[in-house]
Amino acid sequence: MQPLLIIRSERGQMSAIERRIADFILENAHLLRDYSSQQLANALGISQSSVVKFSQKLGFKGYPDLKYSIGEAVARNGDGAEPVASGTDDHSQGVLARELWQAKSRAEEETRLLNPPDRIDAVAGMVRDAGKVFVVGTGEDSVMARAFAIRLSLLGFLAIHHFDPVLVPAEVSTSRPDDVLLLFSERGQAATLCQLARLFRSRGGRVVSVTRHTANPLRAHADLSLLVSAHDEAAHVEPLLYQAALQQLLDVVFLLLCGDESRRRQLADYHEHVRSLLDS
């Protein structure tokens, strides 16, 4: 994973001082070669040891190793400056659209790097082998959960979506050890979902949590976790990045589940049926 991606993806779990270092590096990556650890510490008003510990916490031997790695990444990908738009893209709407797309692309890349292929394969395998798949989300997460449950149903999986997690325990009481519970919660703090995960696992079921890449209670109660990284200073933009990165992650799982020819055929038959209804 590139060093700048590591810093972005880990930022949500950093202390206040670590976030200050991270933000400085992200904003001044192309200038970092001119900073020693002491100069960086002086610029931020912190101790040199904080810079060294920050580097080591990210998996580097020390600050020089981190600086060298970032220098290589900048040389390989350019200085990080945004290209100047031309023609109609000079219009504020064009600039807005381009910046949003770039931000979504960064969030998707960070999210992809946080979820190694073997983890994605394991989640797809759990769903593929499940007797029933329970899907639960709260708030805006319920929208993504419902959409994913519908797509699973179209592939022939017995997927059960619940809007209200308070009502799920009654359904869970009928679950079997080969069933799977997918819990969608951006912050992973919902006590109701944590209780539901404990109940489901006590009956032998397996739990998959879908949350941000943070240390949260829901992840601790899950057998497997899908993680999303999406950060932006603008409060109205960050949810857009989260939803885009999460959708891409779920799409990859869906495509893996489409590997079975009979399920693809069932999905194709459904789409053909819908087209015939719309054309009639």
Side-chain angles (χ1 to χ4, degrees):
M1 189 185 296
Q2 295 183 11
L4 296 178
L5 289 179
I6 295 176
I7 293 173
R8 287 194 192 99
S9 64
E10 296 290 340
R11 186 184 181 280
Q13 302 186 78
M14 293 179 180
S15 65
I17 291 179
E18 290 169 344
R19 283 197 296 272
R20 287 173 59 193
I21 301 173
D23 292 342
F24 183 91
I25 291 176
L26 292 173
E27 294 169 7
N28 303 280
H30 58 295
L31 300 175
L32 200 63
R33 64 180 180 273
D34 300 324
Y35 281 82
S36 66
S37 58
Q38 186 60 64
Q39 289 172 323
L40 177 57
N42 291 341
L44 294 174
I46 60 178
S47 67
Q48 184 182 21
S49 63
S50 295
V51 176
V52 175
K53 291 177 181 177
F54 173 85
S55 305
Q56 293 173 339
K57 186 174 180 179
L58 293 176
F60 297 92
K61 295 179 181 178
Y63 175 74
D65 187 28
L66 172 62
K67 182 168 72 170
Y68 177 77
S69 182
I70 290 176
E72 279 195 323
V74 170
R76 188 164 54 247
N77 301 319
D79 62 2
E82 299 292 346
V84 178
S86 59
T88 57
D89 276 346
D90 284 334
H91 191 281
S92 60
Q93 186 180 114
V95 173
L96 186 68
R98 186 183 70 250
E99 290 179 346
L100 178 60
W101 178 256
Q102 290 169 341
K104 286 182 175 180
S105 297
R106 287 194 299 271
E108 184 280 325
E109 184 176 9
E110 293 169 16
T111 297
R112 175 162 39 86
L113 294 171
L114 284 172
N115 297 275
D118 57 346
R119 183 187 302 167
I120 303 295
D121 287 338
V123 171
M126 287 173 62
V127 173
R128 190 181 297 115
D129 298 336
K132 295 190 295 292
V133 182
F134 297 88
V135 187
V136 184
T138 57
E140 290 188 7
D141 292 302
S142 182
V143 177
M144 301 292 284
R146 180 174 183 271
F148 190 62
I150 291 174
R151 296 174 75 182
L152 291 180
S153 296
L154 294 179
L155 283 177
F157 293 100
L158 180 54
I160 305 168
H161 173 255
H162 284 274
F163 287 97
D164 189 349
V166 175
L167 302 178
V168 180
E171 186 81 41
V172 168
S173 64
T174 66
S175 66
R176 300 171 60 87
D178 61 345
D179 292 341
V180 172
L181 173 64
L182 296 176
L183 296 174
F184 288 68
S185 176
E186 180 176 354
R187 301 297 173 182
Q189 302 290 337
T192 303
L193 296 187
C194 292
Q195 294 170 4
L196 188 57
R198 285 196 297 269
L199 174 61
F200 199 81
R201 294 185 70 185
S202 71
R203 297 187 58 82
R206 292 164 295 176
V207 176
V208 177
S209 65
V210 185
T211 72
R212 277 187 173 275
H213 176 50
T214 56
N216 60 73
L218 191 57
R219 284 180 63 183
H221 293 295
D223 296 282
L224 288 172
S225 295
L226 292 179
L227 305 173
V228 179
S229 176
H231 305 285
D232 197 275
E233 293 181 357
H236 63 289
V237 173
E238 191 168 69
L240 305 180
L241 307 186
Y242 179 84
Q243 291 162 12
L246 173 55
Q247 186 63 66
Q248 175 70 10
L249 182 59
L250 295 176
D251 287 347
V252 172
V253 176
F254 176 77
L255 290 178
L256 289 174
L257 295 172
C258 288
D260 185 283
E261 184 177 353
S262 64
R263 295 193 184 280
R264 288 201 307 273
R265 188 162 53 247
Q266 177 171 326
L267 182 61
D269 290 343
Y270 165 78
H271 287 307
E272 181 61 31
H273 178 64
V274 170
R275 279 194 294 269
S276 66
L277 289 176
L278 293 176
D279 294 339
S280 61

